[in-house]
Amino acid sequence: MKKLLLTFYIFFAALLFAQQKPTLFLIGDSTMANKENPDKNPEHGWGQMLPLLMTSGIEIQNHATNGRSSKSFRTEGRWDKVMKQLKKGDFIIIQFGHNDQKINDSARFTNPYTQYRANLERYVNETRAKGAYPILMTSIVRRNFNENGVLVDTHKEYPLVVRMVANDLKVPMVDLQLLTEQMEISYGPERSKKLHLHYKKGEVDYYPEGKDDDTHLSKLGAESIAKRATVSLKNMKTGLENFIK
């Protein structure tokens, strides 16, 4: 009987611990998203690399999806799926901007100072209403060097609005624009191709016709950004730092 009670106690304690285990949700676009066939596919999202840098004390759900903006992520019902699971003590990293710029696409475009800002504020407020902790991130930069070797910004007002929302609503923020700008510059115009998807025809099986993509990330690029992001998170007092290796 004692053995049975002990077994039940251990099972109940393990179940209680599992229920209390926090979850880190990621919402955003393709630069953060998990990619299919990671063993063969050269493209990786930086969020895809986070499990390697976090402890087993937290669950990670990466809901970031290719092509989504702060608007379409909600209208497609993807935010509802997160909200149904979100519980007190969880964390959400919010990173949009790349696709909010799509001015010829009414399903995705948002005006940075009105719709985009309102969307970010709504994500933050709804997260807090659940007792969870929002963390904002600016977009990663594109590899966009001019003829003089200067990295030229492509995101315009969108990262600024993220900073404004973070400041006004007192939300922890990781400035990935700054961190990835520093990374690209440190690699330089030519070597920075290794951070992205640059392959000649026949060089890799996954892209038989070759590839020249300065937005999306190679495994090296994704790993480098994930490490920089977690270093910043480690230095913040959000509670998430307790789950970073």
Side-chain angles (χ1 to χ4, degrees), residues 29-33 35 43-46 66-67 95 97-99 101-102 139-145 151-152 154-155 180 183-184 192-198 207 211-218 221-222 225:
D29 56 45
S30 59
T31 61
M32 178 195 270
K35 308 299 176 179
E43 183 182 348
H44 292 69
W46 72 262
N66 290 14
Q95 182 209 280
H98 272 90
N99 298 299
Q101 291 185 294
K102 308 289 186 181
S139 298
I140 69 169
V141 299
R142 295 183 176 93
R143 178 186 166 275
N144 185 42
F145 289 92
L151 186 69
V152 180
T154 64
H155 286 107
T180 55
M183 179 183 72
E184 299 280 351
S192 59
K193 290 180 180 179
K194 296 180 180 180
L195 303 170
H196 298 276
L197 305 174
H198 284 265
Y207 301 121
K211 188 81 169 176
D212 285 297
D213 184 339
D214 291 317
T215 297
H216 299 101
L217 303 165
S218 66
I225 293 172

Side-chain angles (χ1 to χ4, degrees), residues 40-58:
K40 297 180 180 179
N41 186 356
E43 183 182 348
H44 292 69
W46 72 262
Q48 189 172 354
M49 318 309 293
L50 276 185
L52 301 174
L53 304 172
M54 310 290 287
T55 71
S56 60
I58 191 167

Side-chain angles (χ1 to χ4, degrees), residues 191-232:
R191 286 185 61 244
S192 59
K193 290 180 180 179
K194 296 180 180 180
L195 303 170
H196 298 276
L197 305 174
H198 284 265
Y199 304 101
K200 296 177 182 178
K201 184 175 181 178
E203 187 176 351
V204 293
D205 293 338
Y206 207 83
Y207 301 121
E209 297 302 314
K211 188 81 169 176
D212 285 297
D213 184 339
D214 291 317
T215 297
H216 299 101
L217 303 165
S218 66
K219 186 175 182 180
L220 173 63
E223 286 175 340
S224 300
I225 293 172
K227 288 176 181 177
R228 284 166 169 80
T230 51
V231 167
S232 288

Side-chain angles (χ1 to χ4, degrees), residues 4 10 39-40 44 69 105 130 170 215 223 226 229-230:
L4 182 63
I10 293 172
D39 294 333
K40 297 180 180 179
H44 292 69
S69 71
D105 187 341
K130 285 271 194 170
K170 304 296 185 273
T215 297
E223 286 175 340
T230 51

Side-chain angles (χ1 to χ4, degrees), residues 41-214:
N41 186 356
E43 183 182 348
H44 292 69
W46 72 262
Q48 189 172 354
M49 318 309 293
L50 276 185
L52 301 174
L53 304 172
M54 310 290 287
T55 71
S56 60
I58 191 167
E59 180 186 346
I60 299 176
Q61 288 193 28
N62 190 352
H63 290 259
T65 308
N66 290 14
R68 271 57 188 188
S69 71
S70 67
K71 179 181 179 180
S72 64
F73 191 86
R74 182 183 290 274
T75 57
E76 292 177 0
R78 298 176 187 278
W79 177 239
D80 287 340
K81 292 179 181 179
V82 174
M83 286 293 286
K84 287 177 181 177
Q85 302 178 71
L86 191 63
K87 64 185 183 297
K88 184 177 181 180
D90 285 343
F91 302 87
I92 295 186
I93 293 177
I94 304 160
Q95 182 209 280
F96 291 103
H98 272 90
N99 298 299
D100 287 82
Q101 291 185 294
K102 308 289 186 181
I103 198 166
N104 294 319
D105 187 341
S106 61
R108 293 188 287 179
F109 175 75
T110 61
N111 181 300
Y113 291 116
T114 54
Q115 285 182 297
Y116 181 63
R117 175 169 182 139
N119 289 346
L120 294 182
E121 289 177 345
R122 190 175 173 189
Y123 284 125
V124 167
N125 291 329
E126 290 177 356
T127 297
R128 285 175 166 171
K130 285 271 194 170
Y133 303 103
I135 299 168
L136 290 170
M137 293 194 179
T138 51
S139 298
I140 69 169
V141 299
R142 295 183 176 93
R143 178 186 166 275
N144 185 42
F145 289 92
N146 67 15
E147 65 276 9
N148 298 313
V150 174
L151 186 69
V152 180
D153 172 60
T154 64
H155 286 107
K156 300 181 180 179
E157 302 95 337
Y158 291 89
L160 173 61
V161 172
V162 177
R163 297 183 188 101
M164 292 167 65
V165 172
N167 180 69
D168 293 347
L169 298 187
K170 304 296 185 273
V171 186
M173 186 202 74
V174 175
D175 197 344
L176 279 187
Q177 183 191 32
L178 172 62
L179 295 177
T180 55
E181 182 179 278
Q182 292 170 337
M183 179 183 72
E184 299 280 351
I185 292 172
S186 71
Y187 272 77
E190 190 59 33
R191 286 185 61 244
S192 59
K193 290 180 180 179
K194 296 180 180 180
L195 303 170
H196 298 276
L197 305 174
H198 284 265
Y199 304 101
K200 296 177 182 178
K201 184 175 181 178
E203 187 176 351
V204 293
D205 293 338
Y206 207 83
Y207 301 121
E209 297 302 314
K211 188 81 169 176
D212 285 297
D213 184 339
D214 291 317

